[in-house]
Amino acid sequence: MTEEQDLIDQSPPPSAPDPEPNPNPNSVIHPRRVSFEHGLLPIQKLVFTDPIQTLAPVKQKLADAASNNRVGSAAIADVLQISGDHARLVLETLGSVLHSESDPLVRAKPEEVDSVGADLRDLILFLYIQSYKKLLPRTHKDSAAVADVWPSTSAFDGYLSALSPIQLVRSNSRRFMPSQADDEAHQLSYLQKHLANIISLLAEPVEGEGDESLVLSMEAFEHLGFLVQFGDKGSDVSPLSQATPFFANSDPDMPAVPVPASQVHDWLLQNIASALESITERISGKENGPSNDQDDAMSDVCATPNKVAPSTRGPCLIEGVSKTSLVKQASDLRGRSVKVVNCHDSVIYLLAPLRYATVHGCSDTTIVLGAVGKALKVEHCERVHVIVAAKRVCIANCRECVFFLGVNQRPLIVGDNHKLQVAPYNTFYSHLEEHMSEVGVEPTINKWDKPLALGAVDPHDSLSHPAGVADAQAESAASVDPDQFVNFLIPNWFSGEETGSTKDNPFPLPDTYMAAQQRNLKNFEETRRSLKEAPLEENRKRELSSALHVYFKDWLYASGNIRQLYCLQGD
């Protein structure tokens, strides 16, 4: 038993009878998955093997350096002994996963982030979950079917191949990312184990009674919304305090009376235990028979090709798309989060304003994302092209991929990567600027060419790593040669519908890329004019034209682009 647990156990008992586990039996507790999926950084100095013993003194040092209970990047760098770049990264990462849209860090302009800083309590919770270990991928139940679309072992397998999760998902066992239910159970179990410590870091002693009587104010309790939330499928997430028996319906004009930490601890534990029991029953039911629950994020990859799962609470899932084109627009996805999983040899257009996006385990695929206002994560992919306008991008364990980016923060590169390339954003569609404005992506800021490479080994995975590799640096990305840079044309899929105002790429091209484009355009025009004005007889011109068409058709088939034309005709 930890010292903090002992303190909670010694807290005075509540004056009222023990509350029911939940005042609203129709509402269920869930982990805030984005904090665990997009809020972990592979920086060794942020990963505390014994978080409570380390974070208690760190919290005090940060509190001493705080102004109005907020901590800027300079204080974070000093207390945690990390670089200024890493301190800025901590704030940007925390800002991308905060539960409160009204927090000053979420609303801060890029030049204000360092000074605005983070609320001390959010920062402590963020640092605490850096000790979280992700759930290992699981084996797909139809390995033979998946083998047809999964990328083969790469020639680049070596050095860190035995250490990286990409080798798990690409091995003969055909492992895949855990289901949503598996992930939720794992995250709730982590919170269940660490809840006493977490609450003790947010609690304060009663004045004059010493550390033996910890209480939690309603304001401090709301910060637990960084880790958990109450809500059902399709329902809005309300303030955390409104789901409790001890803060619900408090008079807004009167400060709520702080609650004994032990009471909060017991109530949350009861809710977590109930949720875990429900998840276990659901998983057991799926293993013993068919299920219609579309929230299971990893049901049959190939049994239902080109599957799009319209989960109302979790992210929209696009899974197992193979050898085709897929288009989703704002009416399908507006304001949602999306996951693109295990797609192969396809072109996927998601032309919508999105909150979060994840691309996992895809190969030989082009993915065009509209505007991502919080964060995009691309992991375990091979030979994939990603085109996106986003506030934040993280690339992990990818090979031979190219990223065409309009990104407001430095692209983060972590894990076992090989032969990555980055380039400026290269496309547009008619509603792009409207979608960027809706989610807060700035067209005047593009840090595509300033990638930040962190550790090659992820301290948050559950794998064991040989000694000495923990400090290895991830391989960064090279810039695409300007002479090889081309614009990507998005087909006019919905010509009969209302068009937006965007007529061109909203991100200005760097001078070298603009000059290369102008050279290539000039060469193309000269070649076309030379062919048109060639002193040939009519029959020879027809032969030349026919030969060009044949070569172009051969290229369409060899590149696989012929499939897009068929898809366009089919739609």
Side-chain angles (χ1 to χ4, degrees):
M1 179 181 294
T2 66
E3 179 182 353
E4 286 70 21
Q5 175 69 67
D6 190 47
L7 289 176
I8 288 177
D9 289 343
Q10 294 178 30
S11 300
S15 55
D18 285 341
E20 292 295 323
N22 197 316
N24 179 4
N26 297 319
S27 189
V28 180
I29 195 169
H30 301 280
R32 264 191 91 243
R33 296 185 67 197
V34 296
S35 296
F36 295 96
E37 293 177 358
H38 296 277
L40 303 179
L41 289 173
I43 299 175
Q44 289 294 333
K45 287 187 176 180
L46 302 185
V47 181
F48 305 110
T49 54
D50 188 353
I52 188 63
Q53 294 298 324
T54 318
L55 279 179
V58 165
K59 176 189 173 184
Q60 187 56 53
K61 290 180 181 178
L62 290 170
D64 293 342
S67 174
N68 294 323
N69 215 39
R70 301 194 71 86
V71 187
S73 64
I76 292 172
D78 181 53
V79 172
L80 298 178
Q81 294 296 293
I82 57 177
S83 68
D85 282 346
H86 286 182
R88 168 83 180 204
L89 180 61
V90 165
L91 289 176
E92 290 177 339
T93 306
L94 176 56
S96 73
V97 296
L98 272 178
H99 56 297
S100 173
E101 291 296 321
S102 61
D103 189 275
L105 181 58
V106 177
R107 296 177 173 272
K109 296 177 180 178
E111 64 272 16
E112 299 171 343
V113 168
D114 293 310
S115 57
V116 166
D119 185 286
L120 174 61
R121 291 157 295 195
D122 292 329
L123 179 59
I124 289 299
L125 294 180
F126 173 82
L127 292 175
Y128 194 103
I129 66 168
Q130 301 306 310
S131 66
Y132 175 75
K133 295 284 188 180
K134 299 173 187 173
L135 191 61
L136 279 173
R138 66 181 177 86
T139 304
H140 192 272
K141 62 186 178 184
D142 190 1
S143 299
V146 177
D148 289 338
V149 300
W150 197 251
S152 59
T153 302
S154 169
F156 299 105
D157 291 344
Y159 181 45
L160 286 174
S161 61
L163 314 177
S164 170
I166 196 171
Q167 295 305 305
L168 288 175
V169 298
R170 295 167 61 247
S171 68
N172 289 332
S173 62
R174 306 298 175 189
R175 292 174 180 264
F176 290 86
M177 64 189 296
S179 72
Q180 177 166 308
D182 291 336
D183 255 343
E184 283 206 3
H186 188 64
Q187 290 159 10
L188 284 174
S189 296
Y190 171 85
L191 293 173
Q192 186 181 48
K193 177 181 177 182
H194 293 271
L195 190 60
N197 291 338
I198 289 170
I199 289 177
S200 72
L201 286 168
L202 294 178
E204 298 292 341
V206 176
E207 188 174 351
E209 296 188 24
D211 289 343
E212 289 77 18
S213 55
L214 292 175
V215 294
L216 208 64
S217 67
M218 186 170 79
E219 182 185 3
F221 180 80
E222 286 288 7
H223 288 274
L224 287 171
F226 179 72
L227 300 175
V228 294
Q229 62 191 33
F230 283 87
D232 298 315
K233 298 169 189 170
S235 66
D236 294 329
V237 176
S238 57
L240 195 61
S241 60
Q242 295 307 303
T244 72
F246 28 81
F247 291 128
N249 304 317
S250 296
D251 186 344
D253 297 325
M254 293 288 291
V257 176
V259 175
S262 59
Q263 186 176 349
V264 176
H265 175 260
D266 293 346
W267 180 80
L268 282 172
L269 274 186
Q270 288 174 316
N271 277 276
I272 290 173
S274 177
L276 281 171
E277 183 179 353
S278 174
I279 292 172
T280 302
E281 289 175 356
R282 197 165 85 228
I283 293 173
S284 176
K286 288 174 184 173
E287 290 174 350
N288 295 329
S291 169
N292 293 321
D293 184 358
Q294 289 176 315
D295 264 351
D296 183 353
M298 291 306 302
S299 54
D300 293 340
V301 166
C302 297
T304 311
N306 307 342
K307 171 183 159 187
V308 179
S311 163
T312 51
R313 179 173 61 81
C316 177
L317 176 71
I318 296 169
E319 177 185 16
V321 175
S322 179
K323 299 184 179 180
T324 189
S325 294
L326 176 71
V327 184
K328 305 298 286 185
Q329 56 178 335
S331 58
D332 305 307
L333 300 170
R334 182 181 296 276
R336 297 283 302 281
S337 296
V338 67
K339 288 190 175 184
V340 181
V341 179
N342 300 333
C343 296
H344 172 73
D345 196 12
S346 297
V347 181
I348 298 172
Y349 302 87
L350 306 178
L351 309 181
L354 303 166
R355 286 173 57 78
Y356 297 94
T358 300
V359 178
H360 178 99
C362 297
S363 65
D364 302 291
T365 294
T366 296
I367 300 167
V368 186
L369 295 150
V372 182
K374 292 293 187 180
L376 163 68
K377 187 170 188 178
V378 184
E379 56 187 0
H380 304 305
C381 290
E382 192 166 278
R383 299 181 302 279
V384 163
H385 286 201
V386 176
I387 304 172
V388 65
K391 183 166 287 185
R392 173 183 179 80
V393 174
C394 177
I395 303 163
N397 303 310
C398 292
R399 303 183 179 213
E400 304 171 64
C401 295
V402 187
F403 300 87
F404 297 88
L405 303 176
V407 60
N408 293 167
Q409 298 175 9
R410 295 178 66 181
L412 190 59
I413 299 180
V414 302
D416 182 16
N417 301 283
H418 294 277
K419 293 198 170 182
L420 302 184
Q421 290 183 285
V422 290
Y425 192 72
N426 68 339
T427 193
F428 70 94
Y429 58 94
S430 68
H431 290 286
L432 175 59
E433 287 170 301
E434 170 194 327
H435 292 169
M436 289 170 57
S437 176
E438 185 174 328
V439 299
V441 177
E442 295 286 342
T444 56
I445 302 172
N446 193 358
K447 298 190 177 183
W448 68 273
D449 57 342
K450 298 177 175 62
L452 178 59
L454 295 181
V457 171
D458 187 353
H460 305 106
D461 66 39
S462 300
L463 303 170
S464 60
H465 302 292
V469 301
D471 296 327
Q473 190 85 348
E475 180 181 313
S476 192
S479 296
V480 168
D481 187 326
D483 287 324
Q484 302 299 315
F485 177 82
V486 293
N487 287 328
F488 184 88
L489 180 63
I490 296 176
N492 187 11
W493 298 93
F494 309 103
S495 56
E497 300 184 9
E498 179 184 355
T499 58
S501 59
T502 303
K503 306 295 183 186
D504 203 354
N505 185 346
F507 292 93
L509 280 180
D511 292 342
T512 52
Y513 287 84
M514 179 64 77
Q517 273 205 338
Q518 291 172 344
R519 281 197 308 272
N520 291 338
L521 180 61
K522 181 180 179 182
N523 292 338
F524 170 74
E525 292 294 345
E526 289 177 351
T527 301
R528 186 167 66 172
R529 185 171 61 252
S530 298
L531 291 172
K532 187 175 181 179
E533 297 174 356
L536 298 174
E537 298 176 0
E538 285 302 315
N539 62 329
R540 300 292 289 176
K541 284 187 176 182
R542 284 194 295 271
E543 289 177 5
L544 177 59
S545 177
S546 177
L548 289 173
H549 279 91
V550 168
Y551 280 119
F552 180 64
K553 190 174 181 180
D554 288 345
W555 173 81
L556 283 175
Y557 279 99
S559 65
N561 286 314
I562 190 67
R563 190 181 302 119
Q564 284 202 72
L565 294 182
Y566 286 136
C567 290
L568 279 169
Q569 291 174 347
D571 290 344

